[in-house]
Amino acid sequence: MLAELEEAYRRVRDDGRASFLLLWGEAGVGKTRLLDEFAARTATRGTRVALGTCVDGLCPPFAPLREVFSALELPPPFESAEELSASGGASEAKRYRAFVAAAAALASTPVPNVVLLDDLHWADFATLEFLAFFARKLENASVLAIATVRSENLERDHARFDALNKLLRSGGRRVNVDPLGREEMQRLVALLLPLESPQRSQQVERISALAEGKPYFAEELVSSALALDGPAPFDAVPLSIRAGILARVERLPRAERDILMQASVIGQTFAPAVLAELAKCSERAVAAALVGARDLQLVRETEGSGLFAFRHALTREVLYRELLQAQRQTIHRELAVLLERAQPPADAGQIAFHWSAAGESERATRAYELAGDHAAARNAHRDAQDAYDRAISLRAEPGADVAALYEKYSRALSIGGNLAQACLYLERSVDAYEARGDRRKAASLCARLARRYFEYARPSDASRAITRSLQLCDGRGAIAFDAYVTIAHFAALQGRLEEADAQLHRAECLPGRPPSSQRRDFHMVRAVVRATTARLRPAFEDYERAVSIAREDGDPEQLTWALSNYASRALATGYTERALGAYHESVELLPIDEFGKIGIFANQGLASACLMSGDIGSARRVHARGRQTLSEMAITQTAQVVMEIRLAYLLDEELPLGRGAIDGAVAIAFESGETQNIGFLSGALAAHLDSIGRTSEAQTLRTRAIAAISSADLSLWLIDQAGAGESRTEREKARALLALAAGDEAHLSARAHLALFDARVARRQRQSALAKSSALRAAKEFQAIGWPWEQAAALEVAGRHAQAREIYLRHGYRRQLRELDSARRRARHRAAGDRLTPREVEVAQLAAGGLGNREIGARLFISERTVETHIAAIFDRFDLTSRRQLAELVAAQSPGDA
């Protein structure tokens, strides 16, 4: 295992190939010892080595990273007063810039940096988010990062397990540190026990069995044996880790044992000065106790920090449990007071932990809320969520002023994508503000609540909330502007376009200039209305203005929203390259594993853009990255399900989703009332149902969806199916919606789909010439906008099967390839098999010689149309795509052969 770390170090030093390794294993398996040994070796080679330690329940945001930066003599990250006082979107930008600066500082040195992080399973979420960010930036960095992870600690801590998995997906590599085998364990124990030890062979066997392959346990048991007097120590003391630790502790004088017990209350890591004040003794007495404990391998001094740490968490836990509960509470209370009075003040999370452990709920509540504020200011939203949750669970007194606490908790939940809880607590916050008479604040939050409900596919609750907002603000001021724009957005997405226009007009007529965030939202909503009413060019102007405002504000979260909405519209209307560019920028701004809800939204949009452009491999990879994080936003859930269905359909694979998941997605889409949700999902699902023989269900879904949609917005697959369907009523409505969109010359995809729709209808009516010309026009237009699947579908309708097959093969559309080959095998069986007819040979020879269709017809005394039919049949039956291939076919077959 040490050799593997040495090889990773060599790659960093000699080849510049950075690595991030996670040493993964059970407690006591030797991860920390491996880290220590590697650090000792590496420090002698001119490499800068830094250690950061994570502490169970006492790890404030970025604490281990601050240790690392301090040891490397780099500027301290993530802790300026400006960041702590910031709030809202601006702090998101500060956080992103801080991440970039911190990553650059670590990576910029010509001398390799070795960053060691012990017990990463106890790290705060902010640290884990930065490490995932940094892991993606390691490509050109001269850095080797190694962290230890205790696997059993993650069995129930699903949040941290998920965070560590994200770190692995970002570029980290898991290295399993497994327990030693029986023979290895016996060799280790034999080396630890002195040769003159009584009953040595029995001790080796017994310790090896009890240690279960874990070197730390073996060392503890050996130390216990050596600390005890008598010829047969294992007969006098229970063979357990607790006994081994306490046996060594008892060798300390009583006063020093008491000091060490109080240190266990402080936490895994502690400062001697704080311990001296807590124990009410001199720093000299503390130093003496720590020297004795160090010599007994109970504690260790952390190099260069002035702090001490228990050698293992088990050591601290055993000592802590030796205190009576009343003793522990008293010490926690005294420690909380000390930390509150400290200058500079201690971390609020640490203070809250100690007040809570002391049984002081009210004080713990205030401290946890403050800890949440500090975490939110650093954009450590998962840690903020955890702290606010603890504060709320402790705040049980009746009549408590919880309005601000609920508001902050709701925001942290929303950013993480937990919309159900976010709506619940935001509603409670509105009630609390209104109860205390703050109507303006309640009105402002009501508008936000309406948007959360709409994202959560609860439009009736959204409508109720926005009505309440207008009542609370009396329809005046910036809050009313926000409310009218919000109503317009709901109406536009549900197809009530006249109402949307009217609400936007009401907003514009209000006196005063709204803040930039509201002007940005106004432009995005007006863009939706304009795009849906055949005014695409001014709609794009609005989208671009919204993006510009977000850039000026320096808010990466809102910039991502604006870019993603712009990209979604660009993709839906055929501007594929624009969409890909905007989505790529969005994902770079807010990576999915750092910014919750909006990160998933941008990521899923990029997956859709890759799919439409024919890059199935990238679509699958991007989608898989987003699938690891859940979001309750309806449009994101719809997009994720659509991607699962579409990939399975195109790749001819079994759909991984169960019936319940699909039915749930359909219910959410129709409950939202949004055309884009209904049409997008129904078009993908109906095609899948048809492909597996459930045609009746497919048609029922299409009928329901076409009746519900009010525009062609994201419903093009659904509308295309209606063109080939049996229902005249559905065809007429579908074409009317498509024609409305295609009436805007800028709507490239609608114009292409209208040509394909007309081709399908003409083919149904046996108007082959019209079908072919319309389909070829559609194929050309789909090629221009970069949609290969649709291009190939149009070529099939035009009878250009060989060209369609080439596209299906090139892009990996396995279902269409299989279905086309099957259909053509049947057609060939009915036709002339694999040989040319005499007439076909005559036509083919002349065509291969360079003559045009009219000249061939004149030579053979047949019509130009008949020549065209013969050549098309030859190209189709033999998968030809050029006249060069036709010449080769003619050379292989002669009239006599036929």
Side-chain angles (χ1 to χ4, degrees), residues 641 644-645 654-666 681 685 688-689 692 694:
V641 171
E644 293 280 2
I645 294 171
E654 185 175 344
L655 183 61
L657 297 174
R659 184 67 179 262
I662 293 175
D663 289 347
V666 170
L681 176 58
L685 181 55
H688 168 74
L689 291 172
I692 60 175
R694 289 159 58 181

Side-chain angles (χ1 to χ4, degrees), residues 799-803 805 820-821 823-841 844 869-881 886 889 893 898:
R800 300 289 177 86
H801 297 133
Q803 291 174 267
R805 188 181 189 282
L820 179 59
D821 284 347
R824 296 181 71 198
R825 278 194 298 272
R826 291 193 300 271
R828 287 172 180 175
H829 181 72
R830 291 193 302 268
D834 61 352
R835 309 299 298 173
L836 293 174
T837 66
R839 175 61 82 183
E840 285 176 337
V841 169
T869 300
H870 279 306
I871 291 177
I874 296 169
F875 268 64
D876 180 34
R877 199 158 78 247
F878 293 93
D879 290 333
L880 306 182
T881 57
L886 179 64
L889 177 66
Q893 298 192 21

Side-chain angles (χ1 to χ4, degrees), residues 163-204:
L164 287 166
N165 266 336
K166 290 177 182 175
L167 174 54
L168 290 170
R169 292 193 300 273
S170 298
R173 181 162 64 88
R174 174 170 165 171
V175 178
N176 290 324
V177 184
D178 298 320
L180 299 177
R182 181 173 178 271
E183 292 183 2
E184 291 175 313
M185 192 79 256
Q186 289 182 338
R187 283 198 298 270
L188 173 62
V189 175
L191 288 171
L192 294 172
L193 279 169
L195 291 174
E196 66 275 9
S197 175
Q199 300 180 338
R200 188 171 185 272
S201 61
Q202 294 95 324
Q203 289 177 349
V204 168

Side-chain angles (χ1 to χ4, degrees), residues 419-755:
L419 293 180
Q421 289 293 98
C423 290
L424 173 65
Y425 280 94
L426 192 53
E427 184 108 48
R428 291 178 179 178
S429 178
V430 170
D431 292 341
Y433 276 118
E434 186 177 8
R436 78 182 194 190
D438 193 343
R439 290 172 60 87
R440 287 191 60 77
K441 182 68 173 180
S444 177
L445 292 184
C446 252
R448 186 191 303 173
L449 176 62
R451 291 189 288 273
R452 295 296 85 80
Y453 272 133
F454 201 83
E455 290 172 351
Y456 191 41
R458 290 171 59 177
S460 60
D461 286 321
S463 177
R464 172 179 56 81
I466 205 66
T467 300
R468 184 180 177 188
S469 175
L470 285 168
Q471 290 171 344
L472 287 167
C473 72
D474 298 322
R476 297 195 299 268
I479 298 172
F481 183 94
D482 190 22
Y484 291 139
V485 170
T486 300
I487 295 172
H489 195 195
F490 298 166
L493 292 176
Q494 293 180 326
R496 305 191 310 274
L497 301 175
E498 290 184 6
E499 179 185 348
D501 256 333
Q503 295 293 345
L504 288 174
H505 181 69
R506 293 182 74 177
E508 284 186 291
C509 290
L510 288 171
R513 181 176 173 79
S516 61
S517 62
Q518 292 183 2
R519 286 187 282 112
R520 178 199 63 232
D521 291 345
F522 175 87
H523 284 291
M524 281 206 292
V525 174
R526 191 169 68 176
V528 173
V529 176
R530 286 176 162 177
T532 316
T533 52
R535 293 176 287 170
L536 194 55
R537 285 197 173 88
F540 276 128
E541 291 174 4
D542 271 318
Y543 280 123
E544 288 161 6
R545 182 57 187 144
V547 169
S548 176
I549 292 172
R551 287 193 197 282
E552 291 167 6
D553 288 346
D555 184 341
E557 184 179 3
Q558 293 305 320
L559 178 55
T560 299
W561 274 118
L563 281 168
S564 296
N565 278 284
Y566 166 75
S568 176
R569 183 64 59 185
L571 181 64
T573 53
Y575 298 88
T576 313
E577 289 302 319
R578 285 194 211 175
L580 283 166
Y583 275 132
H584 276 297
E585 183 180 355
S586 297
V587 171
E588 284 297 316
L589 275 170
L590 297 181
I592 187 172
D593 50 356
E594 296 175 27
F595 283 85
K597 178 178 69 176
I598 177 57
I600 302 170
F601 180 67
N603 185 85
Q604 205 57 45
L606 176 59
S608 296
C610 291
L611 185 76
M612 294 302 297
S613 66
D615 189 351
I616 284 190
S618 292
R620 196 167 206 169
R621 286 191 297 274
V622 174
H623 171 62
R625 184 174 62 202
R627 193 171 48 194
Q628 305 304 317
T629 305
L630 298 178
S631 171
E632 294 176 339
M633 195 162 70
I635 185 61
T636 302
Q637 290 181 324
T638 299
Q640 288 179 324
V641 171
V642 166
M643 186 60 63
E644 293 280 2
I645 294 171
R646 198 66 179 171
L647 286 172
Y649 174 77
L650 294 174
L651 296 172
D652 206 12
E653 296 175 345
E654 185 175 344
L655 183 61
L657 297 174
R659 184 67 179 262
I662 293 175
D663 289 347
V666 170
I668 288 172
F670 279 94
E671 285 169 12
S672 74
E674 295 184 51
T675 285
Q676 59 184 8
N677 283 344
I678 297 169
F680 195 35
L681 176 58
S682 299
L685 181 55
H688 168 74
L689 291 172
D690 273 334
S691 72
I692 60 175
R694 289 159 58 181
T695 54
S696 177
E697 290 179 62
Q699 185 54 46
T700 298
L701 177 61
R702 274 192 291 269
T703 299
R704 182 184 178 194
I706 289 172
I709 64 174
S710 55
S711 73
D713 197 19
L714 291 186
S715 301
L716 294 173
W717 291 334
L718 176 68
I719 287 173
D720 182 52
Q721 293 167 46
E726 299 289 338
S727 171
R728 180 177 178 179
T729 302
E730 290 172 15
R731 286 201 305 273
E732 289 176 350
K733 178 177 180 182
R735 193 188 188 285
L737 293 175
L738 198 53
L740 177 63
D744 186 341
E745 291 186 357
H747 201 314
L748 304 181
S749 61
R751 293 169 66 82
H753 263 287
L754 182 60

Side-chain angles (χ1 to χ4, degrees), residues 226-247:
L226 299 178
L228 297 171
D229 297 326
F234 285 100
D235 294 334
V237 177
L239 293 178
S240 66
I241 296 299
R242 178 176 174 276
I245 293 172
L246 291 178

